[in-house]
Coordinates of all heavy atoms in Angstrom, one line a residue:
M1 N 59.7 51.5 -74.0 CA 58.3 51.8 -74.3 C 58.1 51.7 -75.8 O 58.9 52.1 -76.6 CB 58.0 53.2 -73.8 CG 56.6 53.7 -74.1 SD 56.2 55.3 -73.4 CE 56.8 56.4 -74.7
S2 N 56.9 51.2 -76.1 CA 56.6 51.0 -77.5 C 55.3 51.7 -77.8 O 54.3 51.5 -77.0 CB 56.6 49.6 -77.9 OG 56.3 49.4 -79.3
W3 N 55.1 52.4 -78.8 CA 53.9 53.0 -79.2 C 53.5 52.5 -80.6 O 54.3 52.6 -81.5 CB 54.0 54.5 -79.2 CG 52.8 55.3 -79.6 CD1 51.7 55.4 -78.9 CD2 52.6 56.0 -80.8 NE1 50.8 56.2 -79.5 CE2 51.3 56.5 -80.7 CE3 53.3 56.2 -82.0 CZ2 50.7 57.3 -81.8 CZ3 52.7 57.0 -83.0 CH2 51.5 57.5 -82.9
A4 N 52.4 51.9 -80.7 CA 51.9 51.3 -82.0 C 50.7 52.1 -82.5 O 49.9 52.5 -81.7 CB 51.6 49.8 -81.8
S5 N 50.6 52.2 -83.8 CA 49.5 52.8 -84.4 C 48.5 51.8 -84.9 O 48.9 50.7 -85.2 CB 50.0 53.7 -85.5 OG 50.4 53.0 -86.6
S6 N 47.3 52.2 -85.0 CA 46.3 51.3 -85.5 C 46.4 51.3 -87.0 O 47.2 52.0 -87.6 CB 44.9 51.8 -85.1 OG 44.6 53.1 -85.7
S7 N 45.4 50.6 -87.6 CA 45.4 50.6 -89.1 C 45.2 52.0 -89.7 O 45.8 52.3 -90.7 CB 44.4 49.6 -89.6 OG 43.1 50.0 -89.1
K8 N 44.5 52.8 -89.0 CA 44.3 54.2 -89.4 C 45.7 54.9 -89.3 O 46.0 55.7 -90.1 CB 43.3 55.0 -88.5 CG 41.9 55.0 -89.0 CD 41.1 55.9 -88.1 CE 39.7 56.0 -88.4 NZ 39.0 56.9 -87.6
G9 N 46.3 54.7 -88.2 CA 47.6 55.4 -87.9 C 48.7 55.0 -88.9 O 49.6 55.8 -89.1
A10 N 48.6 53.9 -89.6 CA 49.6 53.5 -90.6 C 49.5 54.4 -91.8 O 50.5 54.5 -92.5 CB 49.3 52.0 -91.0
A11 N 48.4 55.2 -91.9 CA 48.3 56.1 -93.0 C 49.0 57.4 -92.7 O 49.1 58.3 -93.6 CB 46.8 56.3 -93.3
L12 N 49.4 57.6 -91.5 CA 50.1 58.9 -91.1 C 51.4 59.1 -91.8 O 52.2 58.2 -92.0 CB 50.3 59.0 -89.6 CG 49.1 59.1 -88.7 CD1 49.5 58.9 -87.3 CD2 48.4 60.4 -89.0
K13 N 51.7 60.3 -92.2 CA 53.0 60.7 -92.8 C 54.0 60.7 -91.7 O 53.6 61.2 -90.6 CB 52.9 62.0 -93.6 CG 52.0 61.9 -94.8 CD 52.1 63.2 -95.6 CE 51.2 63.3 -96.8 NZ 50.8 62.1 -97.4
D14 N 55.2 60.3 -91.9 CA 56.2 60.3 -90.9 C 57.5 60.9 -91.4 O 58.5 60.2 -91.6 CB 56.4 58.8 -90.4 CG 57.5 58.7 -89.3 OD1 57.7 59.7 -88.5 OD2 58.0 57.6 -89.2
P15 N 57.5 62.2 -91.7 CA 58.7 62.8 -92.3 C 59.9 62.7 -91.4 O 61.0 62.8 -91.9 CB 58.3 64.3 -92.5 CG 57.1 64.5 -91.6 CD 56.5 63.2 -91.4
S16 N 59.8 62.6 -90.1 CA 60.9 62.5 -89.2 C 61.5 61.1 -89.0 O 62.5 60.9 -88.4 CB 60.6 63.1 -87.9 OG 60.2 64.5 -88.0
G17 N 60.8 60.1 -89.6 CA 61.2 58.8 -89.4 C 61.1 58.2 -88.0 O 62.0 57.4 -87.7
L18 N 60.1 58.6 -87.3 CA 59.9 58.0 -86.0 C 59.5 56.6 -85.9 O 59.9 55.8 -85.0 CB 58.9 58.9 -85.2 CG 59.3 60.3 -84.9 CD1 58.2 61.1 -84.2 CD2 60.6 60.3 -84.0
F19 N 58.7 56.2 -86.9 CA 58.2 54.8 -86.9 C 59.4 53.9 -87.3 O 60.3 54.2 -88.0 CB 57.1 54.6 -88.0 CG 55.8 55.1 -87.6 CD1 55.2 56.1 -88.3 CD2 55.1 54.6 -86.5 CE1 53.9 56.6 -87.9 CE2 53.9 55.1 -86.1 CZ 53.3 56.1 -86.8
N20 N 59.3 52.7 -86.7 CA 60.4 51.7 -87.1 C 60.3 51.3 -88.5 O 59.2 51.0 -89.0 CB 60.1 50.4 -86.3 CG 60.4 50.6 -84.8 OD1 60.9 51.6 -84.4 ND2 59.9 49.7 -84.0
S21 N 61.4 51.3 -89.2 CA 61.4 51.0 -90.6 C 61.0 49.5 -90.9 O 60.4 49.2 -91.9 CB 62.7 51.3 -91.3 OG 63.7 50.5 -90.6
S22 N 61.3 48.7 -89.9 CA 61.0 47.2 -90.1 C 59.5 47.0 -90.1 O 59.1 45.9 -90.5 CB 61.7 46.4 -89.0 OG 61.2 46.8 -87.7
L23 N 58.7 47.9 -89.5 CA 57.3 47.7 -89.4 C 56.6 48.6 -90.4 O 55.4 49.0 -90.1 CB 56.8 47.9 -88.0 CG 57.4 46.9 -87.0 CD1 56.9 47.3 -85.6 CD2 56.9 45.5 -87.3
D24 N 57.2 49.1 -91.4 CA 56.7 50.1 -92.3 C 55.6 49.4 -93.2 O 55.7 49.5 -94.4 CB 57.8 50.7 -93.2 CG 57.8 52.2 -93.1 OD1 57.0 52.7 -92.4 OD2 58.5 52.8 -93.9
G25 N 54.6 48.8 -92.7 CA 53.6 48.1 -93.5 C 52.4 49.0 -93.7 O 52.3 50.1 -93.3
N26 N 51.4 48.4 -94.3 CA 50.2 49.1 -94.6 C 49.2 49.0 -93.4 O 48.2 49.7 -93.4 CB 49.5 48.5 -95.9 CG 50.4 48.9 -97.1 OD1 51.0 49.9 -97.1 ND2 50.3 48.1 -98.1
A27 N 49.4 48.0 -92.5 CA 48.5 47.8 -91.4 C 48.9 48.5 -90.1 O 48.1 49.2 -89.5 CB 48.2 46.3 -91.2
R28 N 50.1 48.3 -89.7 CA 50.5 48.8 -88.4 C 52.0 49.3 -88.5 O 52.8 48.7 -89.2 CB 50.4 47.8 -87.3 CG 49.0 47.4 -87.0 CD 48.9 46.3 -86.0 NE 47.5 46.0 -85.7 CZ 46.9 46.3 -84.6 NH1 47.5 46.9 -83.6 NH2 45.6 46.0 -84.5
R29 N 52.3 50.3 -87.6 CA 53.7 50.7 -87.5 C 53.9 51.0 -86.0 O 52.9 51.1 -85.3 CB 53.9 51.9 -88.3 CG 53.8 51.7 -89.8 CD 54.2 52.8 -90.6 NE 53.3 54.0 -90.5 CZ 53.5 55.1 -91.0 NH1 54.5 55.3 -91.8 NH2 52.7 56.1 -90.9
A30 N 55.1 51.0 -85.6 CA 55.4 51.2 -84.2 C 56.6 52.2 -84.0 O 57.4 52.4 -84.9 CB 55.7 49.9 -83.5
I31 N 56.6 52.8 -82.8 CA 57.8 53.6 -82.4 C 58.3 53.0 -81.1 O 57.6 52.8 -80.1 CB 57.4 55.0 -82.1 CG1 56.8 55.7 -83.4 CG2 58.6 55.8 -81.6 CD1 56.2 57.0 -83.1
D32 N 59.6 52.6 -81.1 CA 60.2 52.0 -79.9 C 61.1 53.1 -79.3 O 61.9 53.7 -80.0 CB 61.0 50.8 -80.2 CG 60.2 49.6 -80.6 OD1 59.1 49.5 -80.1 OD2 60.7 48.8 -81.4
I33 N 60.9 53.3 -78.0 CA 61.7 54.3 -77.3 C 62.3 53.6 -76.1 O 61.6 53.1 -75.3 CB 60.9 55.5 -76.8 CG1 60.2 56.2 -78.0 CG2 61.7 56.5 -76.0 CD1 59.1 57.2 -77.6
H34 N 63.6 53.5 -76.1 CA 64.4 52.8 -75.1 C 65.0 53.8 -74.1 O 65.3 55.0 -74.5 CB 65.5 51.9 -75.7 CG 64.9 50.9 -76.7 ND1 64.3 49.8 -76.3 CD2 64.9 50.9 -78.0 CE1 63.9 49.1 -77.3 NE2 64.2 49.8 -78.4
E35 N 65.2 53.4 -72.9 CA 65.8 54.2 -71.9 C 67.2 54.8 -72.5 O 68.0 54.1 -73.0 CB 66.1 53.4 -70.6 CG 66.6 54.3 -69.5 CD 66.7 53.5 -68.2 OE1 66.2 52.4 -68.1 OE2 67.4 54.0 -67.3
G36 N 67.3 56.1 -72.4 CA 68.5 56.7 -72.8 C 68.4 57.3 -74.3 O 69.3 58.0 -74.7
D37 N 67.4 56.8 -75.0 CA 67.2 57.3 -76.4 C 66.9 58.8 -76.4 O 66.1 59.3 -75.5 CB 66.1 56.6 -77.1 CG 66.4 55.2 -77.5 OD1 67.6 54.8 -77.4 OD2 65.5 54.5 -78.0
K38 N 67.4 59.5 -77.3 CA 67.0 60.9 -77.5 C 65.8 60.9 -78.5 O 65.9 60.4 -79.5 CB 68.2 61.7 -78.1 CG 67.9 63.2 -78.2 CD 69.2 63.9 -78.5 CE 68.8 65.4 -78.7 NZ 69.2 66.2 -77.6
V39 N 64.7 61.6 -78.0 CA 63.5 61.6 -78.8 C 63.3 63.0 -79.3 O 63.5 64.0 -78.6 CB 62.3 61.2 -77.9 CG1 61.0 61.3 -78.6 CG2 62.5 59.9 -77.3
D40 N 63.0 63.1 -80.6 CA 62.6 64.3 -81.2 C 61.2 64.7 -80.7 O 60.2 64.3 -81.3 CB 62.6 64.2 -82.7 CG 62.4 65.5 -83.5 OD1 61.9 66.5 -82.8 OD2 62.7 65.6 -84.7
E41 N 61.2 65.5 -79.6 CA 59.9 65.8 -79.0 C 58.9 66.5 -79.9 O 57.7 66.2 -79.9 CB 60.1 66.6 -77.7 CG 60.8 65.8 -76.6 CD 61.0 66.6 -75.4 OE1 60.2 67.5 -75.0 OE2 62.0 66.4 -74.7
A42 N 59.4 67.4 -80.7 CA 58.5 68.2 -81.6 C 57.9 67.3 -82.6 O 56.7 67.4 -82.9 CB 59.3 69.3 -82.3
A43 N 58.7 66.4 -83.2 CA 58.2 65.4 -84.2 C 57.2 64.5 -83.6 O 56.2 64.2 -84.2 CB 59.4 64.7 -84.8
L44 N 57.5 64.0 -82.4 CA 56.5 63.1 -81.7 C 55.2 63.8 -81.4 O 54.1 63.3 -81.7 CB 57.2 62.6 -80.4 CG 56.3 61.5 -79.7 CD1 56.0 60.3 -80.6 CD2 57.1 61.1 -78.4
K45 N 55.3 65.1 -81.0 CA 54.1 65.8 -80.7 C 53.3 66.0 -82.0 O 52.1 65.9 -82.0 CB 54.4 67.2 -80.1 CG 54.8 67.1 -78.6 CD 55.1 68.5 -78.1 CE 55.6 68.4 -76.7 NZ 56.0 69.7 -76.1
D46 N 54.0 66.4 -83.1 CA 53.3 66.5 -84.4 C 52.6 65.3 -84.8 O 51.5 65.3 -85.3 CB 54.3 67.0 -85.4 CG 54.8 68.4 -85.2 OD1 54.1 69.2 -84.5 OD2 55.8 68.8 -85.9
L47 N 53.3 64.1 -84.6 CA 52.7 62.8 -85.0 C 51.5 62.5 -84.2 O 50.5 62.0 -84.7 CB 53.8 61.8 -84.9 CG 53.5 60.4 -85.5 CD1 53.2 60.5 -87.0 CD2 54.6 59.4 -85.3
I48 N 51.6 62.8 -82.9 CA 50.4 62.5 -82.0 C 49.2 63.4 -82.4 O 48.1 63.0 -82.5 CB 50.8 62.7 -80.5 CG1 51.8 61.6 -80.1 CG2 49.6 62.7 -79.6 CD1 52.4 61.7 -78.8
R49 N 49.5 64.7 -82.7 CA 48.5 65.6 -83.1 C 47.8 65.2 -84.4 O 46.6 65.2 -84.5 CB 49.0 67.0 -83.2 CG 49.3 67.7 -81.9 CD 49.7 69.1 -82.0 NE 49.9 69.7 -80.7 CZ 51.1 70.1 -80.3 NH1 52.2 70.0 -81.1 NH2 51.3 70.6 -79.1
A50 N 48.6 64.7 -85.3 CA 48.1 64.2 -86.6 C 47.2 63.0 -86.4 O 46.2 62.8 -87.0 CB 49.2 63.9 -87.5
A51 N 47.6 62.1 -85.4 CA 46.9 60.9 -85.1 C 45.5 61.3 -84.5 O 44.5 60.7 -84.9 CB 47.7 60.0 -84.2
V52 N 45.5 62.2 -83.6 CA 44.3 62.7 -83.0 C 43.4 63.3 -84.0 O 42.2 62.9 -84.1 CB 44.6 63.7 -81.8 CG1 43.3 64.3 -81.4 CG2 45.3 63.0 -80.7
A53 N 43.9 64.1 -84.9 CA 43.1 64.7 -85.9 C 42.5 63.7 -86.9 O 41.3 63.7 -87.3 CB 43.9 65.7 -86.7
L54 N 43.3 62.6 -87.2 CA 42.8 61.6 -88.1 C 41.7 60.8 -87.4 O 40.7 60.4 -88.0 CB 44.0 60.6 -88.4 CG 43.7 59.5 -89.4 CD1 43.2 60.0 -90.7 CD2 44.9 58.6 -89.5
N55 N 41.9 60.5 -86.1 CA 40.8 59.8 -85.4 C 39.5 60.6 -85.2 O 38.4 60.0 -85.2 CB 41.3 59.4 -84.0 CG 42.2 58.2 -84.0 OD1 42.1 57.4 -84.9 ND2 43.2 58.2 -83.1
L56 N 39.6 61.9 -85.1 CA 38.5 62.8 -85.0 C 37.8 63.0 -86.3 O 36.6 63.3 -86.4 CB 38.8 64.1 -84.4 CG 39.2 64.0 -82.9 CD1 39.7 65.4 -82.4 CD2 38.1 63.5 -82.0
K57 N 38.5 62.9 -87.4 CA 38.0 63.2 -88.7 C 36.9 62.2 -89.1 O 37.1 61.0 -88.9 CB 39.1 63.0 -89.8 CG 38.8 63.4 -91.1 CD 40.0 63.3 -92.0 CE 39.7 63.7 -93.4 NZ 40.9 63.6 -94.3
G58 N 35.8 62.7 -89.5 CA 34.7 61.8 -89.9 C 33.8 61.5 -88.8 O 32.7 60.9 -89.1
K59 N 34.1 61.8 -87.6 CA 33.2 61.5 -86.5 C 32.1 62.6 -86.5 O 32.4 63.8 -86.7 CB 33.9 61.5 -85.2 CG 34.7 60.3 -84.9 CD 35.1 60.3 -83.5 CE 35.9 59.0 -83.2 NZ 36.2 58.8 -81.8
S60 N 30.9 62.2 -86.4 CA 29.8 63.1 -86.5 C 29.7 63.8 -85.1 O 30.1 63.3 -84.1 CB 28.5 62.5 -86.9 OG 28.2 61.5 -85.9
T61 N 29.1 64.9 -85.1 CA 28.8 65.6 -83.9 C 27.7 64.9 -83.2 O 26.8 64.4 -83.8 CB 28.4 67.1 -84.1 OG1 27.3 67.2 -84.9 CG2 29.6 67.9 -84.7
P62 N 27.7 64.9 -81.9 CA 26.6 64.2 -81.2 C 25.2 64.8 -81.5 O 25.1 66.0 -81.7 CB 26.9 64.4 -79.7 CG 28.2 65.1 -79.6 CD 28.6 65.5 -81.0
K63 N 24.2 63.9 -81.6 CA 22.9 64.4 -81.8 C 22.4 65.1 -80.6 O 22.6 64.7 -79.5 CB 22.0 63.2 -82.1 CG 22.3 62.5 -83.4 CD 21.4 61.4 -83.7 CE 21.8 60.6 -84.9 NZ 20.9 59.5 -85.2
P64 N 21.6 66.2 -80.8 CA 21.1 66.9 -79.7 C 20.0 66.1 -79.0 O 19.3 65.3 -79.6 CB 20.5 68.2 -80.3 CG 20.4 67.9 -81.7 CD 21.3 66.9 -82.1
R65 N 20.0 66.2 -77.7 CA 19.0 65.5 -76.9 C 17.6 66.1 -77.1 O 17.5 67.3 -77.3 CB 19.3 65.5 -75.4 CG 20.6 64.8 -75.1 CD 20.8 64.8 -73.6 NE 21.9 63.9 -73.3 CZ 22.1 63.4 -72.1 NH1 21.3 63.7 -71.1 NH2 23.2 62.6 -71.9
R66 N 16.6 65.2 -77.1 CA 15.3 65.7 -77.2 C 14.9 66.4 -75.9 O 15.3 66.0 -74.8 CB 14.3 64.6 -77.4 CG 14.4 64.0 -78.8 CD 13.3 63.1 -79.1 NE 13.7 61.7 -79.0 CZ 12.9 60.7 -78.9 NH1 11.6 60.8 -78.8 NH2 13.4 59.5 -78.8
A67 N 14.1 67.5 -76.1 CA 13.6 68.2 -74.9 C 12.6 67.3 -74.1 O 11.8 66.5 -74.7 CB 12.8 69.4 -75.3
R68 N 12.8 67.3 -72.8 CA 11.9 66.5 -72.0 C 10.6 67.2 -71.7 O 10.6 68.4 -71.5 CB 12.6 66.1 -70.7 CG 13.8 65.2 -70.9 CD 14.4 64.9 -69.5 NE 15.5 64.0 -69.7 CZ 15.8 63.1 -68.8 NH1 15.1 63.0 -67.6 NH2 16.8 62.3 -69.0
T69 N 9.6 66.5 -71.7 CA 8.3 67.1 -71.3 C 8.1 66.9 -69.8 O 8.5 65.8 -69.3 CB 7.1 66.5 -72.1 OG1 7.1 65.0 -71.9 CG2 7.3 66.7 -73.6
K70 N 7.5 67.8 -69.2 CA 7.3 67.8 -67.8 C 6.0 66.9 -67.6 O 5.1 67.0 -68.2 CB 7.0 69.1 -67.2 CG 8.3 70.0 -67.2 CD 8.0 71.3 -66.4 CE 9.3 72.1 -66.4 NZ 9.1 73.3 -65.7
R71 N 6.1 66.0 -66.6 CA 5.0 65.2 -66.2 C 4.1 65.9 -65.2 O 4.6 66.6 -64.3 CB 5.5 63.9 -65.5 CG 6.3 63.0 -66.4 CD 6.9 61.9 -65.5 NE 6.2 60.7 -65.7 CZ 6.5 59.6 -65.0 NH1 7.5 59.6 -64.1 NH2 5.9 58.4 -65.2
A72 N 2.9 65.7 -65.4 CA 1.9 66.2 -64.5 C 1.7 65.2 -63.4 O 1.4 64.1 -63.6 CB 0.6 66.6 -65.2
D73 N 2.0 65.6 -62.2 CA 1.8 64.7 -61.1 C 0.5 64.9 -60.4 O -0.1 65.8 -60.3 CB 2.9 64.9 -60.0 CG 4.3 64.4 -60.6 OD1 4.3 63.4 -61.3 OD2 5.3 65.0 -60.2

């Protein structure tokens, strides 16, 4: 299984070294997990949470819907 980050995700800090070092670029990075690999679950969860927070950052809240006026039939 391979998990790749977008260009935004490339900006994430990776203190546990989960991203492949060969893809340590400015545009994309990836995490390869092979059958039998031991995964640092806490580090992976932290990285996913950071990615979600980064994706949500800067998104505006939805605009409230206009009140509907009742039609006279």
